[in-house]
Amino acid sequence: MTASALSKWPTCLACLRRLAQPFAASHGEPRARAVPVARPIVHIQTRAASHRMRLQDQGVVVRLLEDIPKFGRKHAIFRIERGRMRNEWFPKNKAEYMTPARFQELGLTRDAIGEVDRSFVILSALDAAARPKPEEQKTEKPVPEVQIPQVKVPDVTPETAHALLSELVPNTLTFHREPVPITIPQPKPAQEPKISPLIARHAPASTPKTPSTNEAQRAIFGSVSSSDILNQIKALISGHEEASRIVLGPSSVKIVGLAEDNDRIRHLGRWEIEIAVARAGSLTVYKSVEILPSAQ
């Protein structure tokens, strides 16, 4: 009977459950109930579309071809909304697009881009109100011009200027600058030949030769230019009533011994200078400049 019962598979759900748990059913144990499995709740976060991080359109660069109230005068260059330019200004030939090729044609750069002049209408209205009417222009009387008498100061003659510069400017102009110290490399001690003690006792002691202090500190920090010399000369003659009117320019002072394109002294020492009086021809005052080390 058992073989006939198992020869055909049951189709009832209760029979299938009984056959699935034969051990528990034979010993009389209660069948285990199926425990429902709690599935985890999946929360899907949704976010609305945000345009906060999207870059705003700064507009298009245009150049006005005529005066437009509340925007600017003709030839003004600024940024404007694309829709206004596309739908209003460009079809009516009020403005043009400023492309890189157009910037190059006009010889302009991106620095020429300005701002919209919102006060253009107010200024134009004030100009129109300030303009006199044609009737008022005819009735106005011309205002006489007030002539201010000009006091003519007599120029200093070249001979007088030469004499004043020779007298007021000292023969030597002194400048103090800090010298640049030069490290003197120590020579390596030479290996002395082995000689007899008697000969070495009577041999004269040799002293190392070191360069002098002036040669080691000849270069200076900074320099003394012809402009520095000219300023000192002007300071010396500024207290004199007549000598203060002498015209001295940058080319009036020349340092002798320097190259043509060099007008700066960068070393200690004494230098000759030439002071040429303006429009004086061959009149030249010869002085000297001495660069001394500054006191420590």
Side-chain angles (χ1 to χ4, degrees):
M1 180 175 180
T2 306
S4 62
L6 296 177
S7 61
K8 185 178 181 180
W9 288 99
T11 58
C12 179
L13 293 178
C15 297
L16 291 175
R17 290 172 182 170
R18 186 175 63 254
L19 293 175
Q21 297 179 354
F23 180 79
S26 61
H27 289 78
E29 296 180 0
R31 299 179 180 178
R33 296 182 180 180
V35 180
V37 180
R39 297 182 179 179
I41 301 175
V42 179
H43 297 279
I44 301 176
Q45 184 180 2
T46 59
R47 180 183 295 178
S50 175
H51 303 283
R52 184 179 299 175
M53 301 302 295
R54 182 179 298 178
L55 297 177
Q56 297 181 357
D57 188 10
Q58 298 181 356
V60 62
V61 182
V62 299
R63 175 173 172 265
L64 297 183
L65 301 179
E66 62 181 34
D67 295 343
I68 300 179
K70 296 185 179 180
F71 287 98
R73 296 184 181 274
K74 185 179 179 180
H75 304 307
I77 301 175
F78 51 84
R79 293 182 179 272
I80 198 63
E81 299 87 355
R82 298 179 183 272
R84 186 186 301 274
M85 179 61 182
R86 180 177 60 253
N87 302 326
E88 298 180 13
W89 290 358
F90 188 73
K92 298 179 182 179
N93 199 22
K94 291 185 177 182
E96 63 175 350
Y97 288 97
M98 289 300 294
T99 59
R102 187 57 178 162
F103 271 105
Q104 188 175 4
E105 291 178 4
L106 297 177
L108 301 175
T109 60
R110 304 290 295 185
D111 298 336
I113 301 175
E115 299 293 338
V116 178
D117 189 5
R118 299 295 182 184
S119 61
F120 173 61
V121 176
I122 301 176
L123 295 178
S124 60
L126 293 176
D127 294 342
R131 292 175 185 172
K133 298 180 180 179
E135 298 177 357
E136 297 178 356
Q137 292 180 357
K138 295 179 181 179
T139 57
E140 288 182 355
K141 297 181 180 180
V143 179
E145 298 180 358
V146 180
Q147 296 182 358
I148 301 175
Q150 298 181 357
V151 180
K152 294 185 178 180
V153 180
D155 297 335
V156 181
T157 60
E159 292 77 11
T160 306
H162 182 274
L164 291 174
L165 290 176
S166 301
E167 180 181 356
L168 297 177
V169 179
N171 295 330
T172 302
L173 300 174
T174 306
F175 292 87
H176 294 273
R177 294 292 186 270
E178 183 179 356
V180 178
I182 301 177
T183 57
I184 304 174
Q186 297 294 336
K188 296 181 179 180
Q191 296 181 357
E192 298 182 358
K194 296 181 179 180
I195 57 177
S196 174
L198 296 176
I199 300 176
R201 184 183 303 174
H202 297 284
S206 60
T207 57
K209 296 182 179 180
T210 57
S212 61
T213 307
N214 294 334
E215 294 179 357
Q217 299 180 351
R218 188 171 181 81
I220 59 177
F221 286 106
S223 60
V224 178
S225 62
S226 57
S227 301
D228 299 335
I229 302 173
L230 180 62
N231 294 334
Q232 186 170 354
I233 294 174
K234 289 182 178 181
L236 292 172
I237 65 177
S238 61
H240 197 276
E241 179 180 0
E242 190 174 4
S244 60
R245 301 199 303 268
I246 299 176
V247 180
L248 296 175
S251 60
S252 301
V253 177
K254 180 182 178 181
I255 303 175
V256 181
L258 297 180
E260 296 181 357
D261 56 344
N262 185 19
D263 62 342
R264 294 179 178 272
I265 302 175
R266 296 182 173 85
H267 299 85
L268 298 174
R270 193 181 187 89
W271 308 81
E272 301 295 329
I273 61 172
E274 298 179 357
I275 307 173
V277 181
R279 298 173 295 178
S282 60
L283 294 179
T284 305
V285 180
Y286 297 95
K287 300 292 181 179
S288 60
V289 173
E290 188 174 5
I291 313 300
L292 299 177
S294 58
Q296 299 295 334

